[in-house]
Amino acid sequence: MVSRRDLFTGAAALVGAGVVSRVGAASLPEAVIMQSAATQVPPPPPNGRPYNPVVTLNGWSLPWRMNNGVKEFHLVAEPVVREFAPGMKANLWGYNGASPGPTIEVVEGDRVRIFVTNRLPEHTSIHWHGQPLPNGMDGVTGLTQKGIQPGKTMVYEFEAKRPGTFMYHPHADEMVQMAMGMMGFWVTHPKNPNFMKVDRDYVFLLGSYDIEPGSFVPKTSTMLDFNLFTFNSRVFPGIDTMVARQGERVRIRFGNLTMTNHPIHLHGHEFEVTGTDGGWTRPESRWPEVTVDVGVGQMRAIEFVANNPGDWAFHCHKSHHTMNAMGHDVPTMIGVSQRDAAKKISSIIPDYMAMGSTGGSMGEMEMPLPENTLPMMGGQGPFGGVEMGGMFTVMKVRKDQKRGDYSDPGWYKHPAGTLAYEWNGAPPEAVRSTSAGGQSMPGPKPAQNVEFNVRKPSGHSGH
């Protein structure tokens, strides 16, 4: 973390004096800037009401100052550089050096004052997604406020009335600013820190980007054909793992600021949805799941007891969303011999590799990539290529993980007799039935050998 108390030399000159004087603020709070994409585990709160901090995956929580009983934050909207995974960086817009911006953590009943400084080349605003607040603090440019002009600072002030999970994002030139990465997480903790207390509480935002190989800036007009789907603007294998001690109760909160839904799936455990956009879910209305669908603009909190040790996949179940930098208009080449074509192309492009004749598996292939992009699938596990990218990470449950320890424990060592193994016996004779389907609907004549040409549906509108 890099703290720059003098981030904006002469910042007071940028602030509309009338705006600040209305809230009685003597000066701007410190604008803390983050330059690392690693997960930063926050310390216990230094003042104010006590709470149990959340851990933002590949992110951090924004410090505050107390000013006459008001919790004050300073967000700075500005261009940022975000590393999606080693080998690829993107020029985005974000807050306080990062995209997503830092997580804001407050306690139910806190009076909150947020200074928002605009260092972007166009006006912006912030909508506090899901918050019950005065209309004039809702952050919709043109409807509830004027846009924050470049170089200016505006102040939002309200009471954090309801505990739960929230987000923040612009409501000015929203299509562009959201596509450029402007978003952040907000958690309002309950007054009673023992209410629904868990041992580990993770948060992250679902995002999507369209960044062509060799370029650094997202295409902001893309509607559905994104090629990078992210957890907190990181893609696998650049996403940190989540960890838990066996027997701990774990909460994972996520919000969806993409253009489509995401069925989020956890292996090895059943969980319950304990929080939605409207707050906490009553115990009698919960049910066990292994996948929860998160709609556009929605937030969910799931909870489970980490009772099953191992390395468990955690991912969006839309297979395209677990790929990196993929093209969508690639023909299916399964069963098509490319030997002659590959030989001719290799005479022009020496490193050319024909792919797809036997399937799409490319986890361990190596071929040159354009500048500043990533392979569709990457990441090496203990048994080889994981063949995933995008919205994918691992929940590591260990018996000996220390409480409060978020370090990576390494790969799971499977006890004897608990690992899938190869069958080496003789295969049984195939049994072929001539009466499959029974006699309830007999066919007009015996089936003949028919050869089909399989064609996938065209277009990509079903995301």
Side-chain angles (χ1 to χ4, degrees), residues 217-277:
V217 179
K219 295 166 69 175
T220 58
S221 297
T222 297
M223 185 170 180
L224 291 173
D225 279 348
F226 299 95
N227 62 2
L228 293 164
F229 291 88
T230 67
F231 290 164
N232 273 354
S233 297
R234 293 280 286 187
V235 297
F236 183 79
I239 301 174
D240 285 345
T241 58
M242 294 182 284
V243 297
R245 178 187 177 94
Q246 185 177 358
E248 285 185 330
R249 188 166 184 83
V250 179
R251 177 182 297 139
I252 305 175
R253 315 181 197 217
F254 29 83
N256 181 6
L257 288 177
T258 72
M259 303 275 268
T260 186
N261 64 310
H262 297 282
I264 301 298
H265 178 48
L266 172 63
H267 293 206
H269 295 80
E270 294 175 349
F271 58 75
E272 294 180 331
V273 177
T274 56
T276 69
D277 307 41

Short mmCIF file of all heavy atoms in Angstrom, two decimals, residues 217-277:
data_model
loop_
_atom_site.label_atom_id
_atom_site.label_comp_id
_atom_site.label_asym_id
_atom_site.label_seq_id
_atom_site.Cartn_x
_atom_site.Cartn_y
_atom_site.Cartn_z
N VAL A 217 -6.47 -0.94 -23.96
CA VAL A 217 -7.67 -0.23 -23.51
C VAL A 217 -8.91 -1.05 -23.88
O VAL A 217 -9.02 -1.54 -25.01
CB VAL A 217 -7.75 1.17 -24.16
CG1 VAL A 217 -9.02 1.90 -23.71
CG2 VAL A 217 -6.52 1.99 -23.80
N PRO A 218 -9.85 -1.23 -22.96
CA PRO A 218 -11.07 -1.99 -23.28
C PRO A 218 -11.89 -1.31 -24.36
O PRO A 218 -11.91 -0.08 -24.47
CB PRO A 218 -11.84 -2.01 -21.94
CG PRO A 218 -10.85 -1.67 -20.90
CD PRO A 218 -9.83 -0.79 -21.55
N LYS A 219 -12.58 -2.14 -25.14
CA LYS A 219 -13.56 -1.61 -26.10
C LYS A 219 -14.83 -1.31 -25.30
O LYS A 219 -15.46 -2.22 -24.75
CB LYS A 219 -13.81 -2.63 -27.20
CG LYS A 219 -12.58 -2.88 -28.06
CD LYS A 219 -12.72 -4.11 -28.92
CE LYS A 219 -13.75 -3.93 -30.02
NZ LYS A 219 -13.75 -5.13 -30.92
N THR A 220 -15.21 -0.05 -25.26
CA THR A 220 -16.29 0.34 -24.36
C THR A 220 -17.68 0.20 -24.96
O THR A 220 -18.66 0.37 -24.24
CB THR A 220 -16.09 1.81 -23.91
OG1 THR A 220 -16.06 2.65 -25.07
CG2 THR A 220 -14.80 1.97 -23.14
N SER A 221 -17.78 -0.14 -26.26
CA SER A 221 -19.10 -0.28 -26.87
C SER A 221 -19.55 -1.73 -26.96
O SER A 221 -20.64 -2.00 -27.47
CB SER A 221 -19.11 0.36 -28.27
OG SER A 221 -18.87 1.75 -28.18
N THR A 222 -18.72 -2.65 -26.51
CA THR A 222 -19.10 -4.06 -26.56
C THR A 222 -20.31 -4.31 -25.67
O THR A 222 -20.37 -3.82 -24.55
CB THR A 222 -17.91 -4.93 -26.10
OG1 THR A 222 -16.84 -4.75 -27.03
CG2 THR A 222 -18.30 -6.40 -26.06
N MET A 223 -21.26 -5.09 -26.21
CA MET A 223 -22.46 -5.35 -25.43
C MET A 223 -22.42 -6.72 -24.75
O MET A 223 -22.73 -6.84 -23.56
CB MET A 223 -23.69 -5.27 -26.31
CG MET A 223 -25.00 -5.42 -25.55
SD MET A 223 -26.42 -5.04 -26.57
CE MET A 223 -27.75 -5.30 -25.37
N LEU A 224 -22.02 -7.77 -25.50
CA LEU A 224 -22.02 -9.11 -24.92
C LEU A 224 -20.75 -9.91 -25.20
O LEU A 224 -20.42 -10.81 -24.45
CB LEU A 224 -23.23 -9.90 -25.42
CG LEU A 224 -24.60 -9.42 -24.92
CD1 LEU A 224 -25.71 -10.18 -25.63
CD2 LEU A 224 -24.73 -9.60 -23.43
N ASP A 225 -20.08 -9.63 -26.31
CA ASP A 225 -18.95 -10.47 -26.70
C ASP A 225 -17.66 -10.07 -26.00
O ASP A 225 -16.65 -9.76 -26.63
CB ASP A 225 -18.75 -10.40 -28.22
CG ASP A 225 -19.71 -11.34 -28.93
OD1 ASP A 225 -20.34 -12.16 -28.24
OD2 ASP A 225 -19.82 -11.23 -30.16
N PHE A 226 -17.68 -10.09 -24.69
CA PHE A 226 -16.46 -9.80 -23.93
C PHE A 226 -15.51 -10.99 -24.01
O PHE A 226 -15.95 -12.14 -24.14
CB PHE A 226 -16.81 -9.49 -22.47
CG PHE A 226 -17.70 -8.29 -22.32
CD1 PHE A 226 -19.08 -8.42 -22.22
CD2 PHE A 226 -17.15 -7.01 -22.29
CE1 PHE A 226 -19.90 -7.31 -22.10
CE2 PHE A 226 -17.97 -5.88 -22.16
CZ PHE A 226 -19.34 -6.04 -22.07
N ASN A 227 -14.22 -10.72 -23.93
CA ASN A 227 -13.26 -11.82 -24.00
C ASN A 227 -12.50 -12.03 -22.70
O ASN A 227 -11.64 -12.90 -22.62
CB ASN A 227 -12.28 -11.61 -25.17
CG ASN A 227 -11.44 -10.35 -25.01
OD1 ASN A 227 -11.54 -9.64 -24.02
ND2 ASN A 227 -10.60 -10.08 -25.99
N LEU A 228 -12.80 -11.23 -21.67
CA LEU A 228 -12.17 -11.42 -20.36
C LEU A 228 -13.23 -11.25 -19.28
O LEU A 228 -13.85 -10.19 -19.17
CB LEU A 228 -11.04 -10.40 -20.16
CG LEU A 228 -9.81 -10.56 -21.06
CD1 LEU A 228 -8.97 -9.30 -21.05
CD2 LEU A 228 -8.98 -11.75 -20.62
N PHE A 229 -13.45 -12.28 -18.50
CA PHE A 229 -14.39 -12.25 -17.39
C PHE A 229 -13.59 -12.37 -16.09
O PHE A 229 -12.76 -13.27 -15.96
CB PHE A 229 -15.42 -13.37 -17.53
CG PHE A 229 -16.35 -13.16 -18.70
CD1 PHE A 229 -16.01 -13.62 -19.95
CD2 PHE A 229 -17.53 -12.46 -18.54
CE1 PHE A 229 -16.85 -13.41 -21.04
CE2 PHE A 229 -18.38 -12.24 -19.62
CZ PHE A 229 -18.05 -12.72 -20.88
N THR A 230 -13.85 -11.48 -15.15
CA THR A 230 -12.90 -11.28 -14.06
C THR A 230 -13.54 -11.36 -12.68
O THR A 230 -14.73 -11.10 -12.50
CB THR A 230 -12.23 -9.89 -14.20
OG1 THR A 230 -13.23 -8.86 -13.97
CG2 THR A 230 -11.64 -9.70 -15.58
N PHE A 231 -12.72 -11.74 -11.69
CA PHE A 231 -13.00 -11.51 -10.28
C PHE A 231 -12.14 -10.32 -9.87
O PHE A 231 -10.91 -10.41 -9.88
CB PHE A 231 -12.63 -12.72 -9.41
CG PHE A 231 -13.51 -13.93 -9.58
CD1 PHE A 231 -13.08 -15.18 -9.12
CD2 PHE A 231 -14.75 -13.85 -10.18
CE1 PHE A 231 -13.89 -16.31 -9.25
CE2 PHE A 231 -15.56 -14.96 -10.32
CZ PHE A 231 -15.12 -16.20 -9.86
N ASN A 232 -12.75 -9.21 -9.53
CA ASN A 232 -12.01 -8.01 -9.15
C ASN A 232 -10.94 -7.65 -10.17
O ASN A 232 -9.77 -7.37 -9.83
CB ASN A 232 -11.39 -8.17 -7.75
CG ASN A 232 -12.35 -7.74 -6.67
OD1 ASN A 232 -13.44 -7.23 -6.94
ND2 ASN A 232 -11.98 -7.95 -5.42
N SER A 233 -11.33 -7.66 -11.44
CA SER A 233 -10.42 -7.29 -12.54
C SER A 233 -9.14 -8.11 -12.53
O SER A 233 -8.06 -7.61 -12.88
CB SER A 233 -10.10 -5.79 -12.53
OG SER A 233 -11.26 -5.02 -12.71
N ARG A 234 -9.23 -9.36 -12.15
CA ARG A 234 -8.14 -10.32 -12.27
C ARG A 234 -8.70 -11.57 -12.92
O ARG A 234 -9.88 -11.92 -12.74
CB ARG A 234 -7.54 -10.67 -10.90
CG ARG A 234 -6.83 -9.52 -10.23
CD ARG A 234 -5.43 -9.28 -10.76
NE ARG A 234 -4.48 -10.29 -10.29
CZ ARG A 234 -3.18 -10.23 -10.50
NH1 ARG A 234 -2.67 -9.22 -11.20
NH2 ARG A 234 -2.37 -11.16 -10.05
N VAL A 235 -7.87 -12.28 -13.68
CA VAL A 235 -8.28 -13.53 -14.32
C VAL A 235 -7.34 -14.64 -13.89
O VAL A 235 -6.17 -14.41 -13.60
CB VAL A 235 -8.28 -13.41 -15.86
CG1 VAL A 235 -9.29 -12.36 -16.32
CG2 VAL A 235 -6.90 -13.08 -16.40
N PHE A 236 -7.88 -15.86 -13.84
CA PHE A 236 -7.04 -17.01 -13.52
C PHE A 236 -5.99 -17.21 -14.62
O PHE A 236 -6.35 -17.09 -15.79
CB PHE A 236 -7.92 -18.25 -13.39
CG PHE A 236 -7.16 -19.48 -12.99
CD1 PHE A 236 -6.82 -19.68 -11.68
CD2 PHE A 236 -6.80 -20.43 -13.92
CE1 PHE A 236 -6.09 -20.81 -11.29
CE2 PHE A 236 -6.09 -21.56 -13.55
CZ PHE A 236 -5.74 -21.75 -12.24
N PRO A 237 -4.73 -17.45 -14.30
CA PRO A 237 -4.18 -17.80 -12.98
C PRO A 237 -3.72 -16.61 -12.14
O PRO A 237 -3.00 -16.83 -11.17
CB PRO A 237 -3.01 -18.69 -13.34
CG PRO A 237 -2.51 -18.12 -14.62
CD PRO A 237 -3.73 -17.65 -15.36
N GLY A 238 -4.15 -15.39 -12.47
CA GLY A 238 -3.71 -14.24 -11.70
C GLY A 238 -4.54 -13.97 -10.46
O GLY A 238 -4.24 -13.06 -9.70
N ILE A 239 -5.62 -14.76 -10.24
CA ILE A 239 -6.48 -14.54 -9.08
C ILE A 239 -5.91 -15.27 -7.87
O ILE A 239 -5.46 -16.41 -7.98
CB ILE A 239 -7.91 -15.07 -9.38
CG1 ILE A 239 -8.50 -14.35 -10.60
CG2 ILE A 239 -8.81 -14.89 -8.17
CD1 ILE A 239 -9.83 -14.91 -11.06
N ASP A 240 -5.93 -14.62 -6.72
CA ASP A 240 -5.48 -15.28 -5.49
C ASP A 240 -6.44 -16.41 -5.12
O ASP A 240 -7.62 -16.38 -5.49
CB ASP A 240 -5.40 -14.28 -4.34
CG ASP A 240 -4.19 -13.37 -4.46
OD1 ASP A 240 -3.28 -13.69 -5.24
OD2 ASP A 240 -4.16 -12.33 -3.77
N THR A 241 -5.95 -17.38 -4.38
CA THR A 241 -6.82 -18.43 -3.86
C THR A 241 -7.49 -17.95 -2.58
O THR A 241 -7.03 -17.02 -1.92
CB THR A 241 -6.02 -19.71 -3.56
OG1 THR A 241 -5.00 -19.39 -2.60
CG2 THR A 241 -5.37 -20.27 -4.81
N MET A 242 -8.62 -18.59 -2.25
CA MET A 242 -9.24 -18.37 -0.94
C MET A 242 -8.87 -19.56 -0.06
O MET A 242 -8.73 -20.69 -0.56
CB MET A 242 -10.76 -18.24 -1.09
CG MET A 242 -11.18 -17.00 -1.87
SD MET A 242 -12.97 -16.78 -2.01
CE MET A 242 -13.37 -18.00 -3.26
N VAL A 243 -8.70 -19.31 1.22
CA VAL A 243 -8.29 -20.38 2.13
C VAL A 243 -9.22 -20.42 3.33
O VAL A 243 -9.88 -19.43 3.67
CB VAL A 243 -6.83 -20.19 2.62
CG1 VAL A 243 -5.86 -20.25 1.46
CG2 VAL A 243 -6.68 -18.86 3.36
N ALA A 244 -9.28 -21.59 3.96
CA ALA A 244 -10.07 -21.75 5.19
C ALA A 244 -9.49 -22.90 6.00
O ALA A 244 -8.91 -23.84 5.44
CB ALA A 244 -11.53 -22.02 4.87
N ARG A 245 -9.62 -22.79 7.30
CA ARG A 245 -9.27 -23.89 8.19
C ARG A 245 -10.46 -24.85 8.25
O ARG A 245 -11.62 -24.39 8.29
CB ARG A 245 -8.97 -23.33 9.59
CG ARG A 245 -8.63 -24.37 10.65
CD ARG A 245 -8.52 -23.66 12.00
NE ARG A 245 -8.27 -24.57 13.10
CZ ARG A 245 -7.06 -24.86 13.56
NH1 ARG A 245 -6.00 -24.28 12.99
NH2 ARG A 245 -6.89 -25.69 14.56
N GLN A 246 -10.21 -26.13 8.22
CA GLN A 246 -11.29 -27.11 8.26
C GLN A 246 -12.20 -26.85 9.46
O GLN A 246 -11.72 -26.70 10.59
CB GLN A 246 -10.73 -28.53 8.32
CG GLN A 246 -11.80 -29.60 8.24
CD GLN A 246 -11.23 -31.01 8.24
OE1 GLN A 246 -10.01 -31.18 8.28
NE2 GLN A 246 -12.09 -32.01 8.21
N GLY A 247 -13.48 -26.78 9.22
CA GLY A 247 -14.46 -26.54 10.27
C GLY A 247 -14.86 -25.09 10.43
O GLY A 247 -15.83 -24.79 11.15
N GLU A 248 -14.15 -24.18 9.75
CA GLU A 248 -14.51 -22.76 9.87
C GLU A 248 -15.76 -22.46 9.05
O GLU A 248 -16.03 -23.11 8.03
CB GLU A 248 -13.35 -21.88 9.37
CG GLU A 248 -12.19 -21.79 10.34
CD GLU A 248 -11.13 -20.81 9.87
OE1 GLU A 248 -10.98 -20.63 8.65
OE2 GLU A 248 -10.45 -20.23 10.73
N ARG A 249 -16.50 -21.45 9.49
CA ARG A 249 -17.64 -20.96 8.72
C ARG A 249 -17.15 -19.83 7.82
O ARG A 249 -16.51 -18.88 8.28
CB ARG A 249 -18.76 -20.47 9.63
CG ARG A 249 -20.04 -20.14 8.87
CD ARG A 249 -21.25 -19.99 9.76
NE ARG A 249 -22.47 -19.77 8.98
CZ ARG A 249 -23.18 -20.74 8.42
NH1 ARG A 249 -22.81 -21.99 8.55
NH2 ARG A 249 -24.27 -20.47 7.72
N VAL A 250 -17.44 -19.98 6.54
CA VAL A 250 -16.92 -19.06 5.53
C VAL A 250 -18.08 -18.36 4.84
O VAL A 250 -19.08 -18.98 4.48
CB VAL A 250 -16.07 -19.82 4.48
CG1 VAL A 250 -15.53 -18.85 3.42
CG2 VAL A 250 -14.93 -20.57 5.16
N ARG A 251 -17.93 -17.05 4.64
CA ARG A 251 -18.88 -16.28 3.84
C ARG A 251 -18.15 -15.74 2.61
O ARG A 251 -17.01 -15.27 2.72
CB ARG A 251 -19.45 -15.11 4.66
CG ARG A 251 -20.41 -14.20 3.86
CD ARG A 251 -20.89 -13.04 4.73
NE ARG A 251 -21.66 -13.49 5.86
CZ ARG A 251 -21.56 -13.00 7.09
NH1 ARG A 251 -20.71 -12.02 7.34
NH2 ARG A 251 -22.30 -13.47 8.08
N ILE A 252 -18.79 -15.82 1.47
CA ILE A 252 -18.26 -15.21 0.25
C ILE A 252 -19.35 -14.30 -0.31
O ILE A 252 -20.48 -14.74 -0.56
CB ILE A 252 -17.86 -16.26 -0.80
CG1 ILE A 252 -16.86 -17.26 -0.22
CG2 ILE A 252 -17.25 -15.58 -2.03
CD1 ILE A 252 -16.49 -18.40 -1.16
N ARG A 253 -19.02 -13.02 -0.49
CA ARG A 253 -19.97 -12.05 -1.06
C ARG A 253 -19.47 -11.64 -2.44
O ARG A 253 -18.27 -11.41 -2.63
CB ARG A 253 -20.07 -10.79 -0.19
CG ARG A 253 -20.17 -11.03 1.31
CD ARG A 253 -20.29 -9.68 1.99
NE ARG A 253 -19.99 -9.75 3.42
CZ ARG A 253 -20.65 -9.04 4.33
NH1 ARG A 253 -21.61 -8.21 3.97
NH2 ARG A 253 -20.32 -9.12 5.61
N PHE A 254 -20.39 -11.55 -3.38
CA PHE A 254 -19.99 -11.06 -4.70
C PHE A 254 -21.12 -10.22 -5.29
O PHE A 254 -22.30 -10.43 -5.02
CB PHE A 254 -19.62 -12.20 -5.65
CG PHE A 254 -20.31 -13.50 -5.40
CD1 PHE A 254 -21.59 -13.72 -5.90
CD2 PHE A 254 -19.69 -14.49 -4.67
CE1 PHE A 254 -22.23 -14.92 -5.67
CE2 PHE A 254 -20.34 -15.69 -4.43
CZ PHE A 254 -21.62 -15.91 -4.92
N GLY A 255 -20.73 -9.26 -6.11
CA GLY A 255 -21.69 -8.41 -6.81
C GLY A 255 -21.41 -8.49 -8.30
O GLY A 255 -20.25 -8.65 -8.72
N ASN A 256 -22.45 -8.38 -9.10
CA ASN A 256 -22.33 -8.56 -10.54
C ASN A 256 -22.51 -7.23 -11.26
O ASN A 256 -23.62 -6.71 -11.33
CB ASN A 256 -23.38 -9.57 -11.02
CG ASN A 256 -23.31 -9.83 -12.50
OD1 ASN A 256 -22.40 -9.35 -13.19
ND2 ASN A 256 -24.26 -10.60 -13.02
N LEU A 257 -21.44 -6.69 -11.82
CA LEU A 257 -21.51 -5.46 -12.61
C LEU A 257 -21.10 -5.75 -14.05
O LEU A 257 -20.43 -4.96 -14.70
CB LEU A 257 -20.65 -4.38 -11.98
CG LEU A 257 -21.21 -3.80 -10.68
CD1 LEU A 257 -20.27 -2.77 -10.07
CD2 LEU A 257 -22.59 -3.16 -10.91
N THR A 258 -21.49 -6.92 -14.56
CA THR A 258 -21.27 -7.25 -15.97
C THR A 258 -22.60 -7.09 -16.71
O THR A 258 -23.59 -6.63 -16.16
CB THR A 258 -20.76 -8.69 -16.14
OG1 THR A 258 -21.83 -9.61 -15.87
CG2 THR A 258 -19.62 -8.99 -15.17
N MET A 259 -22.63 -7.52 -17.97
CA MET A 259 -23.83 -7.38 -18.79
C MET A 259 -24.63 -8.67 -18.88
O MET A 259 -25.55 -8.80 -19.70
CB MET A 259 -23.43 -6.93 -20.20
CG MET A 259 -22.64 -5.64 -20.23
SD MET A 259 -23.67 -4.19 -20.22
CE MET A 259 -23.82 -3.95 -21.98
N THR A 260 -24.28 -9.67 -18.05
CA THR A 260 -25.01 -10.94 -18.09
C THR A 260 -24.98 -11.58 -16.71
O THR A 260 -24.30 -11.10 -15.81
CB THR A 260 -24.39 -11.88 -19.13
OG1 THR A 260 -25.20 -13.05 -19.25
CG2 THR A 260 -22.98 -12.31 -18.72
N ASN A 261 -25.75 -12.66 -16.56
CA ASN A 261 -25.77 -13.36 -15.28
C ASN A 261 -24.58 -14.33 -15.17
O ASN A 261 -23.97 -14.70 -16.17
CB ASN A 261 -27.07 -14.14 -15.11
CG ASN A 261 -27.20 -15.23 -16.15
OD1 ASN A 261 -27.02 -14.97 -17.35
ND2 ASN A 261 -27.49 -16.44 -15.73
N HIS A 262 -24.29 -14.74 -13.94
CA HIS A 262 -23.18 -15.66 -13.72
C HIS A 262 -23.59 -16.71 -12.68
O HIS A 262 -23.83 -16.37 -11.52
CB HIS A 262 -21.94 -14.92 -13.23
CG HIS A 262 -21.41 -13.93 -14.21
ND1 HIS A 262 -20.66 -14.31 -15.31
CD2 HIS A 262 -21.57 -12.59 -14.30
CE1 HIS A 262 -20.36 -13.23 -16.02
NE2 HIS A 262 -20.91 -12.19 -15.43
N PRO A 263 -23.69 -17.99 -13.07
CA PRO A 263 -23.94 -19.05 -12.09
C PRO A 263 -22.64 -19.43 -11.40
O PRO A 263 -21.77 -20.09 -11.97
CB PRO A 263 -24.47 -20.20 -12.97
CG PRO A 263 -23.91 -19.94 -14.33
CD PRO A 263 -23.71 -18.46 -14.46
N ILE A 264 -22.48 -18.99 -10.18
CA ILE A 264 -21.24 -19.20 -9.44
C ILE A 264 -21.32 -20.53 -8.70
O ILE A 264 -22.27 -20.79 -7.94
CB ILE A 264 -20.99 -18.05 -8.45
CG1 ILE A 264 -20.90 -16.71 -9.22
CG2 ILE A 264 -19.72 -18.29 -7.66
CD1 ILE A 264 -19.77 -16.62 -10.21
N HIS A 265 -20.32 -21.36 -8.91
CA HIS A 265 -20.34 -22.76 -8.48
C HIS A 265 -19.14 -23.05 -7.58
O HIS A 265 -18.02 -22.67 -7.87
CB HIS A 265 -20.27 -23.64 -9.74
CG HIS A 265 -20.23 -25.10 -9.47
ND1 HIS A 265 -21.08 -25.74 -8.60
CD2 HIS A 265 -19.44 -26.08 -9.99
CE1 HIS A 265 -20.82 -27.03 -8.59
NE2 HIS A 265 -19.82 -27.26 -9.41
N LEU A 266 -19.42 -23.73 -6.45
CA LEU A 266 -18.36 -24.16 -5.53
C LEU A 266 -18.35 -25.67 -5.46
O LEU A 266 -19.39 -26.31 -5.27
CB LEU A 266 -18.60 -23.59 -4.13
CG LEU A 266 -17.68 -24.10 -3.01
CD1 LEU A 266 -16.23 -23.72 -3.28
CD2 LEU A 266 -18.13 -23.56 -1.66
N HIS A 267 -17.18 -26.26 -5.63
CA HIS A 267 -17.04 -27.72 -5.55
C HIS A 267 -16.89 -28.18 -4.10
O HIS A 267 -16.35 -27.46 -3.26
CB HIS A 267 -15.81 -28.17 -6.34
CG HIS A 267 -15.91 -27.95 -7.81
ND1 HIS A 267 -15.20 -28.72 -8.73
CD2 HIS A 267 -16.62 -27.06 -8.56
CE1 HIS A 267 -15.47 -28.31 -9.96
NE2 HIS A 267 -16.33 -27.29 -9.88
N GLY A 268 -17.35 -29.38 -3.83
CA GLY A 268 -17.03 -30.05 -2.58
C GLY A 268 -17.84 -29.64 -1.36
O GLY A 268 -17.70 -30.25 -0.30
N HIS A 269 -18.66 -28.60 -1.49
CA HIS A 269 -19.42 -28.12 -0.34
C HIS A 269 -20.81 -27.67 -0.79
O HIS A 269 -20.98 -27.20 -1.92
CB HIS A 269 -18.71 -26.93 0.33
CG HIS A 269 -17.41 -27.28 0.95
ND1 HIS A 269 -16.24 -27.41 0.21
CD2 HIS A 269 -17.07 -27.53 2.24
CE1 HIS A 269 -15.25 -27.73 1.03
NE2 HIS A 269 -15.72 -27.80 2.26
N GLU A 270 -21.76 -27.79 0.10
CA GLU A 270 -23.06 -27.17 -0.09
C GLU A 270 -23.07 -25.86 0.69
O GLU A 270 -22.54 -25.79 1.80
CB GLU A 270 -24.18 -28.09 0.41
CG GLU A 270 -24.31 -29.38 -0.41
CD GLU A 270 -25.34 -30.31 0.18
OE1 GLU A 270 -25.79 -30.05 1.31
OE2 GLU A 270 -25.69 -31.30 -0.48
N PHE A 271 -23.67 -24.85 0.09
CA PHE A 271 -23.75 -23.56 0.79
C PHE A 271 -25.19 -23.09 0.82
O PHE A 271 -26.08 -23.68 0.18
CB PHE A 271 -22.85 -22.52 0.12
CG PHE A 271 -23.14 -22.27 -1.34
CD1 PHE A 271 -24.24 -21.55 -1.75
CD2 PHE A 271 -22.27 -22.76 -2.32
CE1 PHE A 271 -24.51 -21.31 -3.09
CE2 PHE A 271 -22.52 -22.54 -3.67
CZ PHE A 271 -23.65 -21.81 -4.05
N GLU A 272 -25.44 -22.05 1.55
CA GLU A 272 -26.74 -21.39 1.58
C GLU A 272 -26.57 -19.93 1.19
O GLU A 272 -25.55 -19.31 1.52
CB GLU A 272 -27.37 -21.46 2.98
CG GLU A 272 -27.73 -22.88 3.41
CD GLU A 272 -28.35 -22.88 4.79
OE1 GLU A 272 -28.00 -21.97 5.60
OE2 GLU A 272 -29.16 -23.77 5.08
N VAL A 273 -27.55 -19.40 0.48
CA VAL A 273 -27.55 -17.96 0.18
C VAL A 273 -28.08 -17.26 1.43
O VAL A 273 -29.24 -17.41 1.81
CB VAL A 273 -28.43 -17.65 -1.03
CG1 VAL A 273 -28.48 -16.13 -1.26
CG2 VAL A 273 -27.91 -18.34 -2.27
N THR A 274 -27.21 -16.51 2.07
CA THR A 274 -27.58 -15.88 3.33
C THR A 274 -27.80 -14.38 3.20
O THR A 274 -28.25 -13.74 4.14
CB THR A 274 -26.51 -16.13 4.40
OG1 THR A 274 -25.24 -15.66 3.90
CG2 THR A 274 -26.39 -17.61 4.72
N GLY A 275 -27.44 -13.82 2.02
CA GLY A 275 -27.63 -12.40 1.83
C GLY A 275 -27.95 -12.10 0.38
O GLY A 275 -27.40 -12.72 -0.54
N THR A 276 -28.88 -11.17 0.16
CA THR A 276 -29.24 -10.74 -1.19
C THR A 276 -29.16 -9.22 -1.26
O THR A 276 -28.71 -8.57 -0.31
CB THR A 276 -30.67 -11.19 -1.56
OG1 THR A 276 -31.60 -10.45 -0.76
CG2 THR A 276 -30.86 -12.68 -1.31
N ASP A 277 -29.66 -8.66 -2.36
CA ASP A 277 -29.66 -7.21 -2.51
C ASP A 277 -30.44 -6.53 -1.38
O ASP A 277 -30.14 -5.40 -1.01
CB ASP A 277 -30.30 -6.81 -3.84
CG ASP A 277 -29.68 -7.51 -5.02
OD1 ASP A 277 -29.40 -8.72 -4.92
OD2 ASP A 277 -29.49 -6.86 -6.04
#
